[in-house]
Amino acid sequence: MDILDKIIAQKRIELQTRKEAVSLEVLESQIFENTSKRSLKKSLLAAEVPIISEFKRKSPSKGFINEHARVADIIPAYAKAGAAGISVLTDEKFFGGSLKDLKDARSFTDIPLLRKDFIIDEYQLYVAKTVGADVILLIAAALTKEQTLRLSQKAKELRLEVLLELHDEIELDHINEYVDLIGINNRNLKTFSVDLEASVKLLEKLPKDRIRISESGISSPQTVSDLMKAGFQGFLMGENFIKTSSPGVSLQAFIKEVKDLL
């Protein structure tokens, strides 16, 4: 089994446990309406430097990045620094996250929040809504075309925006009418190797009416500047900021450097 296969197998086990503990009917009763209508799409389009900064403690490829990261310290700092959105890892076993991290993050900011996890079941969409997510991630490599369509449609019913992550041209058929944003992951989820050229190769094949995001392996202001000029409208950045002693300060400095290059 490769890394992605192991994560999905673990996710199925966790899902069964969660469903036995809290029924879908209970989750439905806990859903609150998003009266503020937070939109990652709109936030990215309005930002001069459209960065989605990430909160995560570790990764399968590198182990702990910031083991003692605290939501109360980092989320407000990201918002103040100018993040267009914030991605919160909710996978516990492989990324050191939790649903509590996302729920707490919601209490510290009103900018759009992405639940970043390995979503394979509609149940996870209801959970995302109850803890305050505005956007959910669907990973094409972990889903069939039909599963992607079903989950995207349900997400829209729950008033969640959909970020569809692609890595290869063969996954383009996963794009459907309910997808709001399309991310190209520069990191291969089966091997965790990084290839920044993946973004450029796939860019021209993406629909022009969707927000196009480059994900993973980005650490240079020059790279962001170049990709913005090429047509990307957002950048999902994980380790670059969270690994520093002051993630918010690092994000603010990064944004300034990109502005100077534009």
PDB file of all heavy atoms in Angstrom, residues 26-56:
ATOM      1  N   VAL A  26     -28.286  13.194  14.124  1.00  0.00           N
ATOM      2  CA  VAL A  26     -27.837  14.127  15.164  1.00  0.00           C
ATOM      3  C   VAL A  26     -27.015  15.253  14.537  1.00  0.00           C
ATOM      4  O   VAL A  26     -27.172  16.429  14.878  1.00  0.00           O
ATOM      5  CB  VAL A  26     -27.007  13.394  16.239  1.00  0.00           C
ATOM      6  CG1 VAL A  26     -26.345  14.407  17.178  1.00  0.00           C
ATOM      7  CG2 VAL A  26     -27.889  12.444  17.023  1.00  0.00           C
ATOM      8  N   LEU A  27     -26.139  14.893  13.607  1.00  0.00           N
ATOM      9  CA  LEU A  27     -25.326  15.910  12.928  1.00  0.00           C
ATOM     10  C   LEU A  27     -26.203  16.912  12.189  1.00  0.00           C
ATOM     11  O   LEU A  27     -25.972  18.120  12.240  1.00  0.00           O
ATOM     12  CB  LEU A  27     -24.374  15.250  11.930  1.00  0.00           C
ATOM     13  CG  LEU A  27     -23.093  14.635  12.478  1.00  0.00           C
ATOM     14  CD1 LEU A  27     -22.286  14.027  11.338  1.00  0.00           C
ATOM     15  CD2 LEU A  27     -22.259  15.666  13.216  1.00  0.00           C
ATOM     16  N   GLU A  28     -27.211  16.409  11.499  1.00  0.00           N
ATOM     17  CA  GLU A  28     -28.122  17.284  10.750  1.00  0.00           C
ATOM     18  C   GLU A  28     -28.784  18.300  11.670  1.00  0.00           C
ATOM     19  O   GLU A  28     -28.982  19.460  11.314  1.00  0.00           O
ATOM     20  CB  GLU A  28     -29.181  16.453  10.025  1.00  0.00           C
ATOM     21  CG  GLU A  28     -28.647  15.680   8.844  1.00  0.00           C
ATOM     22  CD  GLU A  28     -29.710  14.834   8.167  1.00  0.00           C
ATOM     23  OE1 GLU A  28     -30.439  14.112   8.894  1.00  0.00           O
ATOM     24  OE2 GLU A  28     -29.825  14.892   6.943  1.00  0.00           O
ATOM     25  N   SER A  29     -29.100  17.881  12.877  1.00  0.00           N
ATOM     26  CA  SER A  29     -29.763  18.780  13.822  1.00  0.00           C
ATOM     27  C   SER A  29     -28.812  19.834  14.378  1.00  0.00           C
ATOM     28  O   SER A  29     -29.245  20.852  14.912  1.00  0.00           O
ATOM     29  CB  SER A  29     -30.360  17.974  14.981  1.00  0.00           C
ATOM     30  OG  SER A  29     -29.336  17.441  15.808  1.00  0.00           O
ATOM     31  N   GLN A  30     -27.498  19.601  14.219  1.00  0.00           N
ATOM     32  CA  GLN A  30     -26.501  20.523  14.761  1.00  0.00           C
ATOM     33  C   GLN A  30     -26.013  21.551  13.742  1.00  0.00           C
ATOM     34  O   GLN A  30     -25.289  22.482  14.072  1.00  0.00           O
ATOM     35  CB  GLN A  30     -25.289  19.737  15.282  1.00  0.00           C
ATOM     36  CG  GLN A  30     -25.604  18.852  16.474  1.00  0.00           C
ATOM     37  CD  GLN A  30     -24.425  17.991  16.885  1.00  0.00           C
ATOM     38  OE1 GLN A  30     -23.432  17.889  16.172  1.00  0.00           O
ATOM     39  NE2 GLN A  30     -24.532  17.358  18.047  1.00  0.00           N
ATOM     40  N   ILE A  31     -26.396  21.375  12.502  1.00  0.00           N
ATOM     41  CA  ILE A  31     -25.924  22.282  11.455  1.00  0.00           C
ATOM     42  C   ILE A  31     -26.481  23.677  11.664  1.00  0.00           C
ATOM     43  O   ILE A  31     -27.673  23.873  11.908  1.00  0.00           O
ATOM     44  CB  ILE A  31     -26.334  21.764  10.057  1.00  0.00           C
ATOM     45  CG1 ILE A  31     -25.487  20.546   9.688  1.00  0.00           C
ATOM     46  CG2 ILE A  31     -26.179  22.852   9.006  1.00  0.00           C
ATOM     47  CD1 ILE A  31     -25.854  19.924   8.372  1.00  0.00           C
ATOM     48  N   PHE A  32     -25.611  24.652  11.572  1.00  0.00           N
ATOM     49  CA  PHE A  32     -26.050  26.035  11.680  1.00  0.00           C
ATOM     50  C   PHE A  32     -25.893  26.704  10.323  1.00  0.00           C
ATOM     51  O   PHE A  32     -25.022  26.364   9.534  1.00  0.00           O
ATOM     52  CB  PHE A  32     -25.235  26.804  12.732  1.00  0.00           C
ATOM     53  CG  PHE A  32     -23.764  26.863  12.455  1.00  0.00           C
ATOM     54  CD1 PHE A  32     -23.227  27.872  11.670  1.00  0.00           C
ATOM     55  CD2 PHE A  32     -22.914  25.901  12.981  1.00  0.00           C
ATOM     56  CE1 PHE A  32     -21.862  27.921  11.415  1.00  0.00           C
ATOM     57  CE2 PHE A  32     -21.550  25.952  12.726  1.00  0.00           C
ATOM     58  CZ  PHE A  32     -21.024  26.953  11.942  1.00  0.00           C
ATOM     59  N   GLU A  33     -26.749  27.674  10.060  1.00  0.00           N
ATOM     60  CA  GLU A  33     -26.687  28.385   8.791  1.00  0.00           C
ATOM     61  C   GLU A  33     -25.539  29.389   8.790  1.00  0.00           C
ATOM     62  O   GLU A  33     -25.324  30.103   9.773  1.00  0.00           O
ATOM     63  CB  GLU A  33     -28.014  29.113   8.517  1.00  0.00           C
ATOM     64  CG  GLU A  33     -29.135  28.186   8.107  1.00  0.00           C
ATOM     65  CD  GLU A  33     -28.828  27.415   6.827  1.00  0.00           C
ATOM     66  OE1 GLU A  33     -28.283  28.006   5.890  1.00  0.00           O
ATOM     67  OE2 GLU A  33     -29.112  26.201   6.791  1.00  0.00           O
ATOM     68  N   ASN A  34     -24.819  29.444   7.700  1.00  0.00           N
ATOM     69  CA  ASN A  34     -23.698  30.365   7.569  1.00  0.00           C
ATOM     70  C   ASN A  34     -24.235  31.729   7.131  1.00  0.00           C
ATOM     71  O   ASN A  34     -24.242  32.080   5.966  1.00  0.00           O
ATOM     72  CB  ASN A  34     -22.710  29.815   6.542  1.00  0.00           C
ATOM     73  CG  ASN A  34     -21.471  30.664   6.433  1.00  0.00           C
ATOM     74  OD1 ASN A  34     -21.377  31.732   7.027  1.00  0.00           O
ATOM     75  ND2 ASN A  34     -20.511  30.193   5.665  1.00  0.00           N
ATOM     76  N   THR A  35     -24.712  32.493   8.098  1.00  0.00           N
ATOM     77  CA  THR A  35     -25.374  33.758   7.773  1.00  0.00           C
ATOM     78  C   THR A  35     -24.417  34.804   7.214  1.00  0.00           C
ATOM     79  O   THR A  35     -24.843  35.732   6.532  1.00  0.00           O
ATOM     80  CB  THR A  35     -26.063  34.327   9.027  1.00  0.00           C
ATOM     81  OG1 THR A  35     -25.096  34.431  10.085  1.00  0.00           O
ATOM     82  CG2 THR A  35     -27.190  33.418   9.482  1.00  0.00           C
ATOM     83  N   SER A  36     -23.117  34.664   7.517  1.00  0.00           N
ATOM     84  CA  SER A  36     -22.168  35.660   7.031  1.00  0.00           C
ATOM     85  C   SER A  36     -21.735  35.398   5.586  1.00  0.00           C
ATOM     86  O   SER A  36     -21.071  36.230   4.975  1.00  0.00           O
ATOM     87  CB  SER A  36     -20.924  35.690   7.927  1.00  0.00           C
ATOM     88  OG  SER A  36     -20.279  34.428   7.907  1.00  0.00           O
ATOM     89  N   LYS A  37     -22.105  34.238   5.040  1.00  0.00           N
ATOM     90  CA  LYS A  37     -21.823  33.894   3.646  1.00  0.00           C
ATOM     91  C   LYS A  37     -20.350  34.058   3.298  1.00  0.00           C
ATOM     92  O   LYS A  37     -19.987  34.706   2.319  1.00  0.00           O
ATOM     93  CB  LYS A  37     -22.706  34.728   2.703  1.00  0.00           C
ATOM     94  CG  LYS A  37     -24.193  34.485   2.886  1.00  0.00           C
ATOM     95  CD  LYS A  37     -25.023  35.306   1.916  1.00  0.00           C
ATOM     96  CE  LYS A  37     -26.500  35.045   2.116  1.00  0.00           C
ATOM     97  NZ  LYS A  37     -27.345  35.862   1.209  1.00  0.00           N
ATOM     98  N   ARG A  38     -19.499  33.468   4.100  1.00  0.00           N
ATOM     99  CA  ARG A  38     -18.065  33.518   3.816  1.00  0.00           C
ATOM    100  C   ARG A  38     -17.766  32.740   2.542  1.00  0.00           C
ATOM    101  O   ARG A  38     -18.259  31.625   2.362  1.00  0.00           O
ATOM    102  CB  ARG A  38     -17.267  32.939   4.984  1.00  0.00           C
ATOM    103  CG  ARG A  38     -17.253  33.805   6.243  1.00  0.00           C
ATOM    104  CD  ARG A  38     -16.515  33.104   7.376  1.00  0.00           C
ATOM    105  NE  ARG A  38     -17.240  31.934   7.815  1.00  0.00           N
ATOM    106  CZ  ARG A  38     -18.076  31.922   8.853  1.00  0.00           C
ATOM    107  NH1 ARG A  38     -18.273  33.016   9.555  1.00  0.00           N
ATOM    108  NH2 ARG A  38     -18.692  30.810   9.195  1.00  0.00           N
ATOM    109  N   SER A  39     -16.959  33.302   1.668  1.00  0.00           N
ATOM    110  CA  SER A  39     -16.633  32.669   0.388  1.00  0.00           C
ATOM    111  C   SER A  39     -15.141  32.738   0.141  1.00  0.00           C
ATOM    112  O   SER A  39     -14.555  33.822   0.066  1.00  0.00           O
ATOM    113  CB  SER A  39     -17.374  33.362  -0.759  1.00  0.00           C
ATOM    114  OG  SER A  39     -16.868  32.925  -2.012  1.00  0.00           O
ATOM    115  N   LEU A  40     -14.504  31.583   0.014  1.00  0.00           N
ATOM    116  CA  LEU A  40     -13.087  31.559  -0.305  1.00  0.00           C
ATOM    117  C   LEU A  40     -12.863  32.070  -1.724  1.00  0.00           C
ATOM    118  O   LEU A  40     -11.869  32.752  -1.991  1.00  0.00           O
ATOM    119  CB  LEU A  40     -12.536  30.134  -0.155  1.00  0.00           C
ATOM    120  CG  LEU A  40     -11.030  29.974  -0.406  1.00  0.00           C
ATOM    121  CD1 LEU A  40     -10.215  30.873   0.519  1.00  0.00           C
ATOM    122  CD2 LEU A  40     -10.605  28.514  -0.257  1.00  0.00           C
ATOM    123  N   LYS A  41     -13.767  31.765  -2.616  1.00  0.00           N
ATOM    124  CA  LYS A  41     -13.667  32.264  -3.991  1.00  0.00           C
ATOM    125  C   LYS A  41     -13.534  33.778  -4.010  1.00  0.00           C
ATOM    126  O   LYS A  41     -12.610  34.336  -4.610  1.00  0.00           O
ATOM    127  CB  LYS A  41     -14.913  31.878  -4.799  1.00  0.00           C
ATOM    128  CG  LYS A  41     -15.011  30.443  -5.207  1.00  0.00           C
ATOM    129  CD  LYS A  41     -16.091  30.251  -6.256  1.00  0.00           C
ATOM    130  CE  LYS A  41     -17.456  30.755  -5.795  1.00  0.00           C
ATOM    131  NZ  LYS A  41     -18.507  30.544  -6.812  1.00  0.00           N
ATOM    132  N   LYS A  42     -14.466  34.439  -3.350  1.00  0.00           N
ATOM    133  CA  LYS A  42     -14.476  35.903  -3.342  1.00  0.00           C
ATOM    134  C   LYS A  42     -13.262  36.464  -2.620  1.00  0.00           C
ATOM    135  O   LYS A  42     -12.692  37.476  -3.038  1.00  0.00           O
ATOM    136  CB  LYS A  42     -15.760  36.407  -2.692  1.00  0.00           C
ATOM    137  CG  LYS A  42     -17.016  36.111  -3.503  1.00  0.00           C
ATOM    138  CD  LYS A  42     -18.265  36.626  -2.797  1.00  0.00           C
ATOM    139  CE  LYS A  42     -19.512  36.318  -3.609  1.00  0.00           C
ATOM    140  NZ  LYS A  42     -20.751  36.778  -2.900  1.00  0.00           N
ATOM    141  N   SER A  43     -12.861  35.810  -1.554  1.00  0.00           N
ATOM    142  CA  SER A  43     -11.724  36.293  -0.780  1.00  0.00           C
ATOM    143  C   SER A  43     -10.431  36.218  -1.596  1.00  0.00           C
ATOM    144  O   SER A  43      -9.609  37.142  -1.568  1.00  0.00           O
ATOM    145  CB  SER A  43     -11.582  35.464   0.506  1.00  0.00           C
ATOM    146  OG  SER A  43     -10.555  35.971   1.323  1.00  0.00           O
ATOM    147  N   LEU A  44     -10.253  35.134  -2.348  1.00  0.00           N
ATOM    148  CA  LEU A  44      -9.062  34.995  -3.180  1.00  0.00           C
ATOM    149  C   LEU A  44      -9.033  36.031  -4.294  1.00  0.00           C
ATOM    150  O   LEU A  44      -7.998  36.630  -4.591  1.00  0.00           O
ATOM    151  CB  LEU A  44      -8.991  33.584  -3.771  1.00  0.00           C
ATOM    152  CG  LEU A  44      -8.667  32.454  -2.796  1.00  0.00           C
ATOM    153  CD1 LEU A  44      -8.873  31.100  -3.460  1.00  0.00           C
ATOM    154  CD2 LEU A  44      -7.236  32.565  -2.275  1.00  0.00           C
ATOM    155  N   LEU A  45     -10.170  36.251  -4.912  1.00  0.00           N
ATOM    156  CA  LEU A  45     -10.246  37.217  -6.012  1.00  0.00           C
ATOM    157  C   LEU A  45     -10.005  38.645  -5.533  1.00  0.00           C
ATOM    158  O   LEU A  45      -9.504  39.486  -6.283  1.00  0.00           O
ATOM    159  CB  LEU A  45     -11.609  37.118  -6.708  1.00  0.00           C
ATOM    160  CG  LEU A  45     -11.846  35.851  -7.535  1.00  0.00           C
ATOM    161  CD1 LEU A  45     -13.290  35.801  -8.025  1.00  0.00           C
ATOM    162  CD2 LEU A  45     -10.876  35.795  -8.719  1.00  0.00           C
ATOM    163  N   ALA A  46     -10.341  38.910  -4.284  1.00  0.00           N
ATOM    164  CA  ALA A  46     -10.191  40.264  -3.741  1.00  0.00           C
ATOM    165  C   ALA A  46      -8.787  40.525  -3.201  1.00  0.00           C
ATOM    166  O   ALA A  46      -8.404  41.689  -3.006  1.00  0.00           O
ATOM    167  CB  ALA A  46     -11.214  40.489  -2.628  1.00  0.00           C
ATOM    168  N   ALA A  47      -8.022  39.481  -2.987  1.00  0.00           N
ATOM    169  CA  ALA A  47      -6.701  39.630  -2.362  1.00  0.00           C
ATOM    170  C   ALA A  47      -5.638  39.999  -3.388  1.00  0.00           C
ATOM    171  O   ALA A  47      -5.602  39.451  -4.491  1.00  0.00           O
ATOM    172  CB  ALA A  47      -6.305  38.335  -1.658  1.00  0.00           C
ATOM    173  N   GLU A  48      -4.764  40.908  -3.007  1.00  0.00           N
ATOM    174  CA  GLU A  48      -3.656  41.280  -3.893  1.00  0.00           C
ATOM    175  C   GLU A  48      -2.670  40.125  -4.026  1.00  0.00           C
ATOM    176  O   GLU A  48      -2.140  39.854  -5.106  1.00  0.00           O
ATOM    177  CB  GLU A  48      -2.945  42.519  -3.351  1.00  0.00           C
ATOM    178  CG  GLU A  48      -1.899  43.081  -4.291  1.00  0.00           C
ATOM    179  CD  GLU A  48      -1.301  44.385  -3.802  1.00  0.00           C
ATOM    180  OE1 GLU A  48      -1.774  44.918  -2.775  1.00  0.00           O
ATOM    181  OE2 GLU A  48      -0.345  44.878  -4.444  1.00  0.00           O
ATOM    182  N   VAL A  49      -2.439  39.438  -2.915  1.00  0.00           N
ATOM    183  CA  VAL A  49      -1.615  38.224  -2.914  1.00  0.00           C
ATOM    184  C   VAL A  49      -2.476  37.119  -2.288  1.00  0.00           C
ATOM    185  O   VAL A  49      -2.619  37.046  -1.068  1.00  0.00           O
ATOM    186  CB  VAL A  49      -0.309  38.404  -2.119  1.00  0.00           C
ATOM    187  CG1 VAL A  49       0.512  37.118  -2.163  1.00  0.00           C
ATOM    188  CG2 VAL A  49       0.503  39.568  -2.687  1.00  0.00           C
ATOM    189  N   PRO A  50      -3.087  36.269  -3.101  1.00  0.00           N
ATOM    190  CA  PRO A  50      -4.116  35.324  -2.631  1.00  0.00           C
ATOM    191  C   PRO A  50      -3.561  34.044  -2.015  1.00  0.00           C
ATOM    192  O   PRO A  50      -3.476  33.003  -2.666  1.00  0.00           O
ATOM    193  CB  PRO A  50      -4.906  35.020  -3.900  1.00  0.00           C
ATOM    194  CG  PRO A  50      -3.867  35.124  -4.981  1.00  0.00           C
ATOM    195  CD  PRO A  50      -2.923  36.212  -4.566  1.00  0.00           C
ATOM    196  N   ILE A  51      -3.225  34.103  -0.745  1.00  0.00           N
ATOM    197  CA  ILE A  51      -2.627  32.945  -0.079  1.00  0.00           C
ATOM    198  C   ILE A  51      -3.590  32.327   0.937  1.00  0.00           C
ATOM    199  O   ILE A  51      -4.205  33.030   1.747  1.00  0.00           O
ATOM    200  CB  ILE A  51      -1.316  33.334   0.622  1.00  0.00           C
ATOM    201  CG1 ILE A  51      -0.249  33.659  -0.434  1.00  0.00           C
ATOM    202  CG2 ILE A  51      -0.822  32.212   1.538  1.00  0.00           C
ATOM    203  CD1 ILE A  51       1.065  34.099   0.133  1.00  0.00           C
ATOM    204  N   ILE A  52      -3.705  31.007   0.876  1.00  0.00           N
ATOM    205  CA  ILE A  52      -4.412  30.224   1.888  1.00  0.00           C
ATOM    206  C   ILE A  52      -3.322  29.627   2.768  1.00  0.00           C
ATOM    207  O   ILE A  52      -2.588  28.729   2.348  1.00  0.00           O
ATOM    208  CB  ILE A  52      -5.243  29.090   1.259  1.00  0.00           C
ATOM    209  CG1 ILE A  52      -6.188  29.640   0.182  1.00  0.00           C
ATOM    210  CG2 ILE A  52      -6.030  28.337   2.335  1.00  0.00           C
ATOM    211  CD1 ILE A  52      -6.772  28.557  -0.722  1.00  0.00           C
ATOM    212  N   SER A  53      -3.173  30.153   3.962  1.00  0.00           N
ATOM    213  CA  SER A  53      -2.137  29.637   4.865  1.00  0.00           C
ATOM    214  C   SER A  53      -2.704  28.442   5.634  1.00  0.00           C
ATOM    215  O   SER A  53      -3.911  28.338   5.839  1.00  0.00           O
ATOM    216  CB  SER A  53      -1.666  30.727   5.817  1.00  0.00           C
ATOM    217  OG  SER A  53      -2.750  31.331   6.486  1.00  0.00           O
ATOM    218  N   GLU A  54      -1.817  27.565   6.054  1.00  0.00           N
ATOM    219  CA  GLU A  54      -2.284  26.298   6.622  1.00  0.00           C
ATOM    220  C   GLU A  54      -1.855  26.105   8.069  1.00  0.00           C
ATOM    221  O   GLU A  54      -0.753  26.489   8.462  1.00  0.00           O
ATOM    222  CB  GLU A  54      -1.763  25.144   5.771  1.00  0.00           C
ATOM    223  CG  GLU A  54      -2.439  23.814   6.042  1.00  0.00           C
ATOM    224  CD  GLU A  54      -2.304  22.888   4.864  1.00  0.00           C
ATOM    225  OE1 GLU A  54      -1.260  22.231   4.733  1.00  0.00           O
ATOM    226  OE2 GLU A  54      -3.245  22.828   4.046  1.00  0.00           O
ATOM    227  N   PHE A  55      -2.760  25.468   8.817  1.00  0.00           N
ATOM    228  CA  PHE A  55      -2.463  25.089  10.194  1.00  0.00           C
ATOM    229  C   PHE A  55      -2.344  23.570  10.242  1.00  0.00           C
ATOM    230  O   PHE A  55      -3.327  22.855  10.052  1.00  0.00           O
ATOM    231  CB  PHE A  55      -3.564  25.555  11.142  1.00  0.00           C
ATOM    232  CG  PHE A  55      -3.290  25.221  12.593  1.00  0.00           C
ATOM    233  CD1 PHE A  55      -2.595  26.106  13.404  1.00  0.00           C
ATOM    234  CD2 PHE A  55      -3.700  24.009  13.137  1.00  0.00           C
ATOM    235  CE1 PHE A  55      -2.315  25.797  14.733  1.00  0.00           C
ATOM    236  CE2 PHE A  55      -3.431  23.686  14.457  1.00  0.00           C
ATOM    237  CZ  PHE A  55      -2.734  24.585  15.256  1.00  0.00           C
ATOM    238  N   LYS A  56      -1.136  23.096  10.471  1.00  0.00           N
ATOM    239  CA  LYS A  56      -0.929  21.652  10.640  1.00  0.00           C
ATOM    240  C   LYS A  56       0.303  21.421  11.493  1.00  0.00           C
ATOM    241  O   LYS A  56       1.224  22.243  11.518  1.00  0.00           O
ATOM    242  CB  LYS A  56      -0.795  20.938   9.302  1.00  0.00           C
ATOM    243  CG  LYS A  56       0.462  21.247   8.507  1.00  0.00           C
ATOM    244  CD  LYS A  56       0.479  20.402   7.244  1.00  0.00           C
ATOM    245  CE  LYS A  56       1.700  20.705   6.383  1.00  0.00           C
ATOM    246  NZ  LYS A  56       1.706  19.919   5.141  1.00  0.00           N
TER     247      LYS A  56
END
